Amino acid sequence: MATRARVRAPELIGKGGWLNTGDQQYTLADLRGRIVILDFWTFCCINCLHVLDELRELEEKHRDTVVIIGVHSPKFVHEADHQAVVDAVERYQVHHPVLDDPELATWKQYAVRAWPTLVVIDPEGYIVGQHAGEGHAHAIAKLVEELEAEHAAKGTLRRGDGPYVPPEPVATDLRFPGKAVVLPGSGNFLVSDSTRHQLVELEPDGETVVRRIGDGDFKEPQGLAVLPDGRVIVADTVNHALRVFDPASGTVERVAGTGKQWWQGSPTSGPALDVDLSSPWDVAWWQGKVWIAMAGVHQLWTYDPSAGTVEVAAGTTQEGLVDGPATEAWFAQPSGLAATEEHLWVADSENSALRYVEREGSSYVVRTAVGTGLFDFGHRDGEAGQALLQHPLGVTALPDGSVALSDTYNHALRRYDPSNGEVTTLATDLREPSDAVLVGDDIVVVESARHRLTRLRLPESAVRVDAVAHRTQRAATEVAPGKLQLDVVFQAPTGQKLDTRYGPSTRLLVSSTPPELLLSGAGTGTELSRELALDPSVTEGVLHVSAMAASCDDDPANEYPACHVHQQDWGVPVRLTAGGATRLPLVLAGMDE
């Protein structure tokens, strides 16, 4: 067995305390003898939600030797609210202890740079592995098996029940509902009851349950859109699929997606049932097709019911805010859609932005109405260029041509008016609103964290709100101007090697905001190390780094070895200072030694 670097794991510190432990507080010493996997996550992050699902099988299989601890490390101000973390743990069915670390104390101790990051600690309290991004569950499972054998032989492995204590269930008709539509004919509401994996039909009062739909059909469904024939298309988010529900017959049918998550290199168009999707979060009928907010890969796709096909419509899979031709635009977890005749409005949640798609000649372009990028957010009304949102999940077209935004982490309903370029606040004191639908002169808001629909009369005047502005709590990395060595650390898991059968098995893409920050080193290549040149006149910015590596089982006798894709996007805030670092290591998998 290869000798591993032995780095003592720092203590676990979190001002918010522990969840899912029956109020018991833990230290690493309490967990000695167990294999501990720290999952640094934040509940806004779609990649973090993917990793929660990736770890479920490992968590169950090794329940007597492995303790997974979610270290909740917030990006947005709202995510530092303890009750919001409590809600998220239930909403996403986290079945292991969670340390609420609102001040990023443990994040800093472990020098984490990306959500999600997984750190493996052996039974003696030493760090033995680190992985950023998705696709690492197989590698961690292999490492766990090695650690079990090694420490059983040494007598340092302790088996038994873990510290997880499930919370008491709460009875409500809806549980963290996601989106809603009004059904034609009846006027009933159809709501995606995400945490219960169902759709719920409610009478027009928004409270009386008519029926529940989906017995095993859905997994955390979100977006809904009524099709021209009266059926409803559903974004079946965690199943990575689209389904159609027929209110007349009650039938549910999968129409797009294979049930597997899309990875880099997979087809981006073709027969709808043969192409993988990635966490579709919302859907809208626009210009003869279903448009899909594909949150998992920061893109918009389309589904054509008449042809039975899907294809990418906008976005490159790079995470950020870039306008322009649809095929070159960048999004960051688009999560809400609303269609008008001329525009497809997009709630671009991680950018805290309102974007829109419009036709220009024979193609589409993407433009931004409100928002500046990944790291600036808040609650500020006024001229759109300086207005701020905080992780909006829903957008609703209003009759006068304006749009209402479910400004989720500000607990508010906001309005953008294209006629004068102004942003105002319509309502506050909502709890994580995630969608809204217009019903006559009223707007019915999905209050996700209050588990209900709330009817509001559209106000004639706006609410006055004190303006606040925030930047993410992540500290900027101080780097020296001039040459900067970027090293993405990747070590293939034990028993695997890089997959070079069809050419290079690694990919690195680098860009910056502002673009002037990089004098050289931007672009795509196959090496995971690159020398960058930073412009000394640009004092701060963000380096966008996207890395991918493919590894396969190293077994010469197996003609078709199992292969795995590891990938992660980093947005690294940097500040140029004399004496700053001249090397920037980013761990994709392994240890930076």
Side-chain angles (χ1 to χ4, degrees):
M1 185 177 297
T3 302
R4 298 190 188 90
R6 289 173 66 80
V7 178
R8 177 65 71 178
E11 192 49 82
L12 304 178
I13 306 167
K15 189 175 181 180
W18 291 80
L19 305 176
N20 282 356
T21 63
D23 295 326
Q24 179 72 36
Q25 307 298 299
Y26 283 92
T27 66
L28 280 177
D30 298 327
L31 303 172
R32 198 75 80 235
R34 311 298 289 271
I35 300 163
V36 177
I37 300 172
L38 303 182
D39 176 13
F40 289 87
W41 71 299
T42 188
F43 64 77
C44 72
C45 162
I46 191 67
N47 311 91
C48 300
L49 304 185
H50 290 167
V51 167
L52 283 174
D53 288 325
E54 287 180 8
L55 293 176
R56 294 190 198 280
E57 182 179 348
L58 181 148
E59 187 172 25
E60 184 59 38
K61 182 177 180 180
H62 298 275
R63 187 167 291 279
D64 66 334
T65 59
V66 170
V67 175
I68 296 176
I69 295 173
V71 182
H72 189 268
S73 312
K75 171 186 174 181
F76 290 100
V77 168
H78 170 60
E79 293 174 307
D81 176 73
H82 182 71
Q83 184 58 48
V85 180
V86 172
D87 289 344
V89 167
E90 180 190 350
R91 180 194 301 263
Y92 298 116
Q93 298 168 67
V94 180
H95 295 157
H96 51 248
V98 172
L99 176 65
D100 181 11
D101 182 19
E103 297 176 347
L104 301 180
T106 297
W107 166 286
K108 294 169 185 173
Q109 289 284 338
Y110 281 80
V112 175
R113 294 184 184 273
W115 295 279
T117 291
L118 298 166
V119 176
V120 183
I121 302 171
D122 74 10
E124 295 179 287
Y126 291 93
I127 297 173
V128 292
Q130 183 170 330
H131 302 76
E134 304 178 49
H136 302 293
H138 67 284
I140 293 175
K142 182 72 173 177
L143 177 56
V144 164
E145 291 172 358
E146 292 178 5
L147 291 170
E148 286 178 339
E150 175 185 343
H151 288 274
K154 291 173 66 175
T156 50
L157 182 69
R158 176 167 58 89
R159 295 180 181 269
D161 293 333
Y164 171 64
V165 178
E168 290 293 323
V170 181
T172 54
D173 287 332
L174 300 174
R175 205 70 193 160
F176 299 104
K179 307 285 187 181
V181 293
V182 176
L183 293 175
S186 66
N188 288 348
F189 292 100
L190 188 67
V191 184
S192 54
D193 196 19
S194 301
T195 299
R196 295 216 177 100
H197 314 296
Q198 292 179 323
L199 308 181
V200 178
E201 185 177 344
L202 303 173
E203 289 186 3
D205 62 9
E207 298 179 0
T208 306
V209 175
V210 176
R211 57 176 165 170
R212 295 183 175 274
I213 301 105
D215 184 11
D217 293 311
F218 303 108
K219 193 168 184 183
E220 294 182 32
Q222 288 287 340
L224 308 166
V226 178
L227 297 174
D229 62 7
R231 297 184 303 159
V232 179
I233 192 151
V234 184
D236 191 6
T237 303
V238 175
N239 278 329
H240 309 294
L242 300 184
R243 298 185 193 275
V244 166
F245 164 62
D246 185 342
S249 66
T251 58
V252 176
E253 175 189 8
R254 179 171 59 92
V255 295
T258 64
K260 296 179 180 178
Q261 184 183 339
W262 186 93
W263 289 95
Q264 290 287 352
S266 300
T268 56
S269 64
L273 291 170
D274 297 336
V275 177
D276 298 337
L277 308 180
S278 182
S279 297
W281 206 273
D282 202 6
V283 283
W285 180 259
W286 189 54
Q287 299 202 344
K289 294 181 180 180
V290 174
W291 286 67
I292 311 162
M294 202 71 77
V297 285
H298 318 298
Q299 290 180 312
L300 304 180
W301 288 42
T302 59
Y303 161 61
D304 185 341
S306 60
T309 57
V310 293
E311 63 180 346
V312 173
T316 65
T317 76
Q318 299 304 305
E319 185 177 13
L321 193 153
V322 176
D323 288 341
T327 55
E328 301 172 16
W330 291 20
F331 295 92
Q333 217 169 295
S335 301
L337 300 175
T340 64
E341 186 174 346
E342 295 182 350
H343 295 139
L344 179 72
W345 295 96
V346 183
D348 200 16
S349 63
E350 282 291 283
N351 278 323
S352 295
L354 173 64
R355 317 280 296 279
Y356 61 93
V357 182
E358 64 182 357
R359 185 178 285 278
E360 193 170 86
S362 60
S363 58
Y364 293 101
V365 295
V366 176
R367 295 191 168 94
T368 298
V370 184
T372 59
L374 288 166
F375 300 109
D376 293 296
F377 53 92
H379 191 144
R380 183 194 286 152
D381 289 328
E383 191 273 323
Q386 57 83 53
L388 293 172
L389 311 169
Q390 188 179 180
H391 198 79
L393 289 178
V395 59
T396 306
L398 300 179
D400 63 358
S402 66
V403 293
L405 275 154
S406 296
D407 194 5
T408 308
Y409 289 1
N410 279 328
H411 309 299
L413 191 67
R414 311 285 294 283
R415 177 176 179 261
Y416 168 68
D417 187 347
S419 69
N420 60 16
E422 291 286 314
V423 175
T424 55
T425 296
L426 297 176
T428 58
D429 193 32
L430 301 167
R431 186 70 184 172
E432 292 192 19
S434 54
D435 195 20
V437 290
L438 201 62
V439 182
D441 294 328
D442 295 341
I443 191 163
V444 176
V445 181
V446 180
E447 275 200 273
S448 189
R450 283 199 177 115
H451 320 293
R452 70 187 188 191
L453 303 187
T454 299
R455 185 181 294 264
L456 304 173
R457 177 57 54 95
L458 273 175
E460 295 180 2
S461 60
V463 178
R464 291 188 62 84
V465 176
D466 292 335
V468 291
H470 303 288
R471 283 184 66 83
T472 178
Q473 294 185 54
R474 290 179 59 189
T477 299
E478 294 193 349
V479 296
K483 293 183 179 179
L484 177 67
Q485 180 62 37
L486 171 66
D487 292 325
V488 174
V489 177
F490 177 76
Q491 296 155 5
T494 303
Q496 295 184 23
K497 64 178 181 179
L498 288 173
D499 178 19
T500 57
R501 292 172 298 165
Y502 308 109
S505 61
T506 55
R507 188 190 73 161
L508 178 65
L509 188 152
V510 180
S511 64
S512 67
T513 302
E516 297 76 28
L517 174 63
L518 279 174
L519 293 172
S520 65
T524 304
T526 58
E527 298 295 324
L528 292 181
S529 293
R530 187 180 302 177
E531 184 179 276
L532 311 180
L534 307 182
D535 187 340
S537 69
V538 181
T539 56
E540 62 180 21
V542 178
L543 290 174
H544 302 281
V545 180
S546 178
M548 184 274 289
S551 63
C552 294
D553 293 344
D554 187 9
D555 181 1
N558 186 354
E559 185 178 357
Y560 304 105
C563 296
H564 309 274
V565 176
H566 318 252
Q567 65 183 45
Q568 172 62 14
D569 294 338
W570 291 266
V572 184
V574 294
R575 182 179 300 114
L576 275 60
T577 57
T582 57
R583 176 176 178 262
L584 177 62
L586 300 174
V587 176
L588 179 60
M591 300 281 284
D592 179 31
E593 302 181 20

